[in-house]
Amino acid sequence: MVLLAKAALGLGGSLVLACAYTMREGVIRIDVDEHRSGGSHVHMWVPAAAIPMVMHFVPEKCLHNAAFQAREAMPILHALVKELKKYPDGRVRPD
């Protein structure tokens, strides 16, 4: 009985440490809603540490398209960040 308790404690402790290590980067909430009759709704919480691993499965042509679209928005985002630095209440506060 004591051996079973030690095994359960070791497994539980390992699970807690694995969760803490994975969640240290934070989580990302993914919501996918189809706006049609009978559409599906998918809501997930994903550890942010998993994103670099998932990016290996994205087709390369999709990444090039996203990079091209992001390049067009960079001057606007640069100006926005530059202006937000002037306002102390515009900072992102850690939770």
Side-chain angles (χ1 to χ4, degrees), residues 48-72:
I51 300 302
M53 292 181 280
V54 173
M55 291 300 289
H56 292 288
F57 296 104
V58 176
E60 197 167 321
K61 71 175 188 176
C62 292
L63 287 176
H64 288 299
N65 189 22
F68 179 73
Q69 290 176 352
R71 187 178 305 139
E72 294 175 354

Side-chain angles (χ1 to χ4, degrees), residues 22-93:
T22 304
M23 297 297 181
R24 81 184 194 292
E25 296 292 326
V27 293
I28 297 172
R29 183 176 165 191
I30 300 174
D31 295 329
V32 179
D33 297 320
E34 287 184 326
H35 297 290
R36 62 182 174 101
S37 63
S40 52
H41 305 283
V42 179
H43 304 280
M44 295 187 296
W45 292 85
V46 179
I51 300 302
M53 292 181 280
V54 173
M55 291 300 289
H56 292 288
F57 296 104
V58 176
E60 197 167 321
K61 71 175 188 176
C62 292
L63 287 176
H64 288 299
N65 189 22
F68 179 73
Q69 290 176 352
R71 187 178 305 139
E72 294 175 354
M74 287 306 287
I76 297 168
L77 291 173
H78 180 69
L80 177 69
V81 170
K82 196 172 178 181
E83 291 298 318
L84 279 177
K85 287 181 181 178
K86 296 178 183 178
Y87 296 98
D89 291 335
R91 291 178 285 176
V92 176
R93 295 186 181 132

